[in-house]
Every structure is written in structure tokens, then in C-alpha cells.
Amino acid sequence: MNRPIGVIDSGVGGLTVAKEMMRQLPKETIYYVGDTARCPYGPRLPGEVRKFTWEMTRFLERYDMKMLVIACNTATAAVLEEIRREMPVPVVGVIQPGARAAIKQTKNRHIAVLGTVGTIKSGAYERAIKATDSTAEIYPLACPDFVPLVESGEYKSERANDIVAATLKPLKETPADTVILGCTHYPLLEPMIAEFMGPDVAVISSGDETARGVSAILEFNEMLAEDEKPEHRFFTTGDTKTFYSIASDWLGDTSIQIKTIQLA
Amino acid sequence: MNRPIGVIDSGVGGLTVAKEMMRQLPKETIYYVGDTARCPYGPRLPGEVRKFTWEMTRFLERYDMKMLVIACNTATAAVLEEIRREMPVPVVGVIQPGARAAIKQTKNRHIAVLGTVGTIKSGAYERAIKATDSTAEIYPLACPDFVPLVESGEYKSERANDIVAATLKPLKETPADTVILGCTHYPLLEPMIAEFMGPDVAVISSGDETARGVSAILEFNEMLAEDEKPEHRFFTTGDTKTFYSIASDWLGDTSIQIKTIQLA
């Protein structure tokens, strides 16, 4: 089934999920929407996040997508269940996969969760982890400075390093042996986060596990594509230049085409 | 949804999948059937494997299972699609997950597949891998001596080591950087297989990835259990003594109860 898979995010963060999907499912076509103009979603009220996420979903509906991946933790926490209920295609979020990967990884069942204010406030990771394993201890930590660092393209800077160290300091006091990057922007900061946490702490990004879940659900529903040369498309509500610079760097592909769209 | 998940296999091999499910999904109840009396399935004709697999499925139907895992590669190759079509609950096999994990793992896209004669003859792994990534090169190898070694409990013996080395010798001539254990019995021989292949070759067992797929599908369908103390049950068509000795060793649980049943 060669229809595209829709991937939506508040900005460039969902590209970390899209990249894993391209690697694990090289025949699948991805249509990506990043709502860069209204990023970050993290500090917004759930009602607003809900509205914006529906706008991206409606935009992609015209392309007859076969599946939707909400590649934004804040949006997943706010509106996954509603969109899943109302859309006629499978809808996948990033929180359950991240929780799943952490449960598989941890040895001492102490798990830290980094996320936006919205994601941390929602308690969605704690619920997802406890639903599978009630004995796990969770250490949630909001990191409101991380998304702006990534969206501005500063994720390799000295300043980023300082902010990461200052933000994560409280985690050093916990026994957590596993840290979930509970925001799809954070994998771009992963080298710094892993370095700061040290070699005894595993850093989990949900992109990897989300791509596995997408693959499992496509296969289970007999919806895998057979396209040898899928043509991905990228849409942003913001500036194509910054989006291009981050996307081409992260995906390792300078040939990608990006189109500016209006949602509101 | 606290109904049991059925797990079926030709013998004890499927326990490698059940173990991963217990670890990743500690609230799920597993009802396991091992058709030890008629093991191995590998050398049998597909029609016979089909009949036996249906018999195990019908046996578990009376327990109102919410999902079925065909934890046997030979049975998955022979009859997954038919059972999936006819059963009212989700049915998961082990071949697609193994293929998925290998694609994710390999760096040079050269993948060896170990399996029973039935699985290798079916070409099911090659199809599953190529369906996702046409550029992969596959090196299939039938290992007919492995299942009897495991079922007889000899999987830690010197003799096992010799047989593993003799069987896998041809793989040393290939550029494969990843080996799929395409039979759920083989993970019990994994230390020997990994030792023989050396540190540069990744050894993939489908149990891990199958458990992830089961988790993804349960979550996606809102079918996760909430049982804090699930009571697993084990059924075998053969001798409970050998089954107990292998199962209690592999699962690290001496309290398991095993019941002999008749299927034919």
C-alpha cells in the first residue's frame, strides 16, 4: 500500500522519528509537517495543542495518508486518544513506545523522563510506564529550554552544553539508570545528554521504538509499501531556510524539498 | 483486558518468546502450549504443520485468549496468514519481527538466516526482509540438528558446541554481519552461536522483537492487561519432566506448573 505515512510535530523534532522510519522502513513514503511557526508547543495549554495538532492532521488528510504518526510528545499527551478515535487510519503516538523501550532497558526500574512542561504536567509517561510495570519509579524533569535550542539550530553550541548540564543536574541525585528523551527534539541534544549522564545511564529516544511500532502495525494490518523509491515531502508553517538547514543535517540528505504552508 | 495471551510452539522453543513477553509485559497472563510429543516440526510437510498448529490454536480458544502468538518459525511460515484471517483475535508470528530486528541491526545489509528445513525451504525470511528492504543480501542455512539438541536438554553440552561449530562453518565464508536465529529454539544455543560467529557478528533472536510487537499491538488496540499477579499456565503434549527441567531453567522459575494434554 504505497500511500504516504503522515508524520506531524511542533517543529523539527519529529524528524528524529522520521529518520528512524526511513531507516527501518526504506520503502515507505513520509509526508512530514512541522508547525515551526507556532513552536514550541510545550508551554501551551492542552486546548491549543489539541487545535494545532488537529490542523496538521486535517492538512495531511488531503494526501490520503494510510497512517498518522504524532511525532510530538506534547501533542501525543494532549490529543492522541481523540485523534485515534476519530481518524479512519491507524494513529501512533510517541509516548507508549518510549515507555516500552525504557521498561525493556532499565535494570533497576528507576526511570527518568525529560520532557516539555506540557508533557511532564500531563503525567502521560508515568501512566504509560506504570500501566505496563507498576513497580517502576519515575523521575520526571521539565526541560523548557531544550526545544528553543534545537529549533534555532544551536544544538551543537557551547551554550547548549551549559544549558543541558544545568538542567540535568538534579538527575545526578537519583538512582535512575535510564533516561527517556520524552520530546522528539531532544535526540538532537543526545550526545550532550549522554555525555553528561555518563556511561552507566542509558538514554532512550522514542524514535527508534516508534519506528518499530509503526513497522509492527503496518505489517500486522498488511499495509506495508512496495515503493522502491519513495518521495518524501516536507511542509513547515515557518521559515524553510532554518528547517532545511536542520533537516538536511539531521537526515544527511541535501536534496530534500521543503514547502511553506499555512494552517490556521 | 486481563484475558490470557496464547503462545504456541512445537516444543520448548517458544519459551524464549514467552520469557521476553513476561519481562516486557509483566502484567500479561500467558497460556503456553508446546507440542513436544510431535516436535520437531522442521522436517514435516507444511500440511502437517498446518494441522498441528490449528490444533494448538483450537485448544487455546476455549480459554478466551485475547491474542495468539505463533512462537514457532516453522508454523509461522506454514500457516500464520490463514490463522490470522480466520481468528477473531490478533495473531502475531515470529518471522516478521525477526526480519525487522535484523534490518535495524545490520550495517552492511548482509543477513544470514538460521532455521529449520521447513522455515528455510519456505523462503519466508527472505520474503519478509526483501519486502522491507530489497537491497539486503540473504544467506539462508538449515540447521536440522539444533532443535533435537534443545528438546533433549543437551543445549549446554560439549556435543552441542561441536554441532553448532560444524553447522555454522559455511557462514564464516559470507560477509553477513547479522545472523537471525530463525527458530525459537535457537536462543538456548545463543551463547555457543555468538561465540562461534565472533564479536563482529550480531545475533538476533526474534523473541525480543516479537514481544515489542505484541506490546505495540496490545497498546494500539487498547488491550493491555492490568493484572498485578498474572498466573501463567503451561501445557505440553509430551513428558512434563523434561519440559519442566528446561522451562524452569530458562524462565528462572521453579514454581511453574505444567499439564500434559492431548491434541490429536
Side-chain angles (χ1 to χ4, degrees):
Chain A
M1 193 189 279
N2 290 343
R3 288 153 54 193
I5 300 175
V7 177
I8 59 180
D9 180 48
S10 63
V12 296
L15 293 169
T16 63
V17 180
K19 185 182 182 179
E20 270 302 312
M21 290 171 60
M22 290 172 189
R23 206 167 71 80
Q24 293 183 39
L25 294 161
K27 296 186 184 181
E28 300 294 335
T29 303
I30 291 170
Y31 280 21
Y32 185 94
V33 179
D35 192 8
T36 318
R38 298 185 292 193
C39 190
Y41 279 11
R44 293 181 189 273
L45 291 172
E48 209 170 20
V49 173
R50 181 178 165 273
K51 179 173 171 288
F52 294 174
T53 310
W54 265 116
E55 285 172 1
M56 290 191 281
T57 304
R58 294 298 179 211
F59 172 81
L60 281 173
E61 264 195 304
R62 74 185 73 167
Y63 295 106
D64 194 27
M65 60 179 164
K66 66 179 177 184
M67 187 178 208
L68 175 68
V69 179
I70 304 181
C72 171
N73 285 268
T74 312
T76 298
V79 70
L80 168 66
E81 282 171 38
E82 180 184 310
I83 294 183
R84 183 176 274 174
R85 217 162 41 231
E86 296 192 21
M87 288 289 290
V89 299
V91 180
V92 171
V94 282
I95 291 180
Q96 194 77 33
R100 204 152 61 219
I103 291 166
K104 178 163 159 31
Q105 176 67 46
T106 184
K107 287 189 177 67
N108 68 6
R109 298 180 183 219
H110 290 267
I111 300 170
V113 180
L114 313 184
T116 66
V117 171
T119 301
I120 295 300
K121 260 197 188 159
S122 76
Y125 267 102
E126 183 143 13
R127 273 197 306 283
I129 293 168
K130 297 260 186 190
T132 303
D133 184 352
S134 334
T135 65
E137 280 294 329
I138 319 295
Y139 306 89
L141 183 68
C143 311
D145 298 330
F146 286 10
V147 170
L149 272 180
V150 171
E151 287 286 331
S152 62
E154 287 180 86
Y155 52 96
K156 292 176 179 170
S157 69
E158 188 74 30
R159 199 179 140 244
N161 212 7
D162 294 346
I163 290 177
V164 164
T167 309
L168 300 189
K169 203 159 166 251
L171 283 191
K172 287 280 197 181
E173 318 287 310
T174 74
D177 71 349
T178 303
V179 175
I180 299 177
L181 303 184
C183 169
T184 53
H185 284 77
Y186 298 178
L188 285 100
L189 294 164
E190 180 166 3
M192 290 176 186
I193 295 171
E195 169 84 24
F196 181 79
M197 294 308 298
D200 296 337
V201 175
V203 178
I204 303 282
S205 77
S206 47
D208 176 4
E209 188 74 16
T210 303
R212 288 168 178 240
V214 165
S215 181
I217 288 163
L218 287 178
E219 185 265 325
F220 178 70
N221 291 301
E222 295 177 13
M223 290 167 67
L224 284 164
E226 287 160 17
D227 199 348
E228 294 298 336
K229 292 216 161 125
E231 289 187 15
H232 310 303
R233 298 182 67 174
F234 299 87
F235 305 94
T236 172
T237 56
D239 177 36
T240 56
K241 243 194 195 153
T242 324
F243 193 100
Y244 174 83
S245 137
I246 300 171
S248 59
D249 173 38
W250 181 251
L251 301 176
D253 180 357
T254 53
S255 74
I256 56 170
Q257 298 296 320
I258 300 154
K259 203 177 149 187
T260 300
I261 56 167
Q262 270 203 319
L263 286 179
Chain B
M1 194 188 280
N2 291 344
R3 288 154 54 194
I5 300 175
V7 177
I8 59 179
D9 180 48
S10 63
V12 295
L15 292 169
T16 63
V17 180
K19 185 182 182 178
E20 269 301 313
M21 290 171 61
M22 290 171 190
R23 206 167 70 80
Q24 293 182 38
L25 294 161
K27 296 187 185 181
E28 299 294 336
T29 303
I30 291 171
Y31 280 21
Y32 185 95
V33 179
D35 192 8
T36 318
R38 298 185 292 194
C39 190
Y41 279 11
R44 294 181 188 273
L45 291 172
E48 210 170 19
V49 173
R50 181 178 165 274
K51 179 172 171 290
F52 294 173
T53 310
W54 266 117
E55 285 171 3
M56 291 192 281
T57 303
R58 295 298 180 211
F59 172 81
L60 281 174
E61 263 195 304
R62 73 184 73 168
Y63 295 105
D64 193 27
M65 60 178 164
K66 66 180 178 184
M67 186 178 208
L68 176 67
V69 179
I70 304 180
C72 171
N73 286 267
T74 311
T76 297
V79 69
L80 169 66
E81 282 171 39
E82 181 184 309
I83 294 183
R84 183 175 274 174
R85 215 161 41 229
E86 296 191 21
M87 288 289 289
V89 298
V91 180
V92 171
V94 281
I95 290 179
Q96 194 77 32
R100 204 151 60 218
I103 290 167
K104 177 163 159 30
Q105 176 67 46
T106 184
K107 290 192 175 67
N108 69 6
R109 299 181 182 216
H110 290 268
I111 300 170
V113 180
L114 314 183
T116 66
V117 171
T119 301
I120 296 300
K121 259 196 188 162
S122 75
Y125 268 102
E126 182 144 11
R127 272 197 306 283
I129 294 168
K130 298 258 185 192
T132 304
D133 184 353
S134 333
T135 65
E137 281 293 330
I138 319 295
Y139 306 89
L141 183 69
C143 310
D145 298 330
F146 286 9
V147 171
L149 272 180
V150 171
E151 287 286 332
S152 62
E154 287 180 87
Y155 52 95
K156 292 175 179 172
S157 69
E158 188 74 29
R159 199 178 139 245
N161 213 5
D162 295 345
I163 290 177
V164 165
T167 309
L168 301 188
K169 204 161 165 249
L171 283 191
K172 288 279 198 181
E173 318 286 310
T174 74
D177 71 350
T178 302
V179 176
I180 300 177
L181 304 184
C183 170
T184 53
H185 283 76
Y186 297 179
L188 286 100
L189 293 164
E190 180 165 5
M192 291 175 184
I193 295 171
E195 168 83 26
F196 181 80
M197 294 309 298
D200 295 336
V201 175
V203 178
I204 303 282
S205 76
S206 47
D208 177 5
E209 187 74 17
T210 303
R212 287 167 179 242
V214 165
S215 181
I217 288 163
L218 287 178
E219 186 265 323
F220 178 69
N221 291 299
E222 295 177 15
M223 290 167 68
L224 283 164
E226 289 159 17
D227 199 347
E228 294 299 335
K229 292 215 162 131
E231 289 188 14
H232 310 303
R233 299 182 66 173
F234 299 87
F235 305 95
T236 171
T237 55
D239 177 36
T240 56
K241 246 195 194 150
T242 325
F243 192 99
Y244 173 83
S245 135
I246 299 171
S248 58
D249 173 38
W250 182 251
L251 301 176
D253 180 357
T254 53
S255 74
I256 57 170
Q257 298 297 319
I258 300 153
K259 203 176 149 188
T260 300
I261 56 167
Q262 271 203 320
L263 287 178

